[in-house]
Amino acid sequence: MQLRYVTSAIKAQSKNGDKVSAIAYSPNNKKLAVCTEQKVIRLFDELGEQRDKFSTKPLEKGTDYRVKGLAWSPDSTKLGIAQSDNIVFVYKLGLNFGEKKSICNKYAQNSSVTTLVWPRANEVIYGLAEGKVKVGMLRTNKPASLYSTESMVTALAANSKGVVSAHLDGSIHRFFFSSGSDGRTKIAIHPCIVYALAYGSASILAGGNDGTLFVYNEQGELEQRLTTGGSTKKEYTIAAMNPAGDAVVLGTTQDEFKIFSFQQNQWRPIEGKSVKNLYAISALAWKADGTALAVGSQFGALDLYDACLRRYR
């Protein structure tokens, strides 16, 4: 796999303070949703042109908050927004740009929402600062607890089988959808806090401030420990698994993102992209057909890359 730079949909700002908080491609590949510290959702088309935008809102008027995560519904008509002011909003946006926007679901919580994924049609899954992983059920507009821990959720990742969560105490938990209420298992204790978490077809990849990528199997057994060398340790900030589940991109704190590919039954480093003045990478998202990658930075840049020679759908 090779990543070829295409365009900067948003130019970097001259100073810190407007970082890209979250990005997400719609499953139908038509829209890219982006939120910065300005708390405005900007919608881009496949060419990286902005076509629409709308402002988010606080749970209570006058309350300060930050957007912590974005996720599209599988039918590409709704967008889930996780916010630090103890709320998940779901907006109905429609399939086309410019359609009327409305809040169709909201899930108020007792603590800050830290992360969000949307792997199944009528269930949006989110993690909380109080340590719970919960599901918002669209049909009833009610939340339910998938499982509870005593430590803040720092990252979530999901595939068709289930969801994995990383926590402030280093623990990693896995939940299989097919197992119902008994599906949660604490599978590992990571040596540092995990901020970069990805769930492949059979592997769970985790990275944090030690600059090492750990590969666990679904039972939590450590299969690989990957370092990329170099004189300077680069902390991992975020991870994104490609749709095929055989390549992962990890953002770092220092002008670079790294790519690992599953080859010959092992994960191997295949490429690193170093971009001058990119600084810390704050958001990553793959296009649903695997043909493009969006990269957001601490200084507000949104860069788009073509994933050359690979098509997944």
Side-chain angles (χ1 to χ4, degrees), residues 2-9 11 25 46-49 273 291-294 302-308:
Q2 295 181 340
L3 291 178
R4 179 180 60 85
Y5 170 79
V6 177
T7 188
S8 293
K11 301 295 184 183
Y25 272 107
E46 295 179 87
L47 301 177
E49 297 293 330
K273 283 286 185 182
T291 63
L293 176 74
L302 177 69
D303 294 337
L304 304 182
Y305 292 82
D306 177 68
C308 304

Side-chain angles (χ1 to χ4, degrees), residues 241-305:
M241 183 69 69
N242 74 338
D246 62 1
V248 64
V249 176
L250 292 101
T252 75
T253 54
Q254 299 178 30
D255 295 338
E256 187 177 18
F257 55 94
K258 298 180 180 295
I259 307 168
F260 295 82
S261 177
F262 192 68
Q263 303 172 3
Q264 299 176 339
N265 295 318
Q266 284 192 323
W267 287 91
R268 303 172 185 271
I270 61 169
E271 185 179 10
K273 283 286 185 182
S274 182
V275 182
K276 187 178 180 180
N277 298 326
L278 182 63
Y279 300 103
I281 293 175
S282 55
L284 291 168
W286 282 96
K287 197 174 181 181
D289 62 3
T291 63
L293 176 74
V295 180
S297 80
Q298 184 76 23
F299 279 71
L302 177 69
D303 294 337
L304 304 182
Y305 292 82

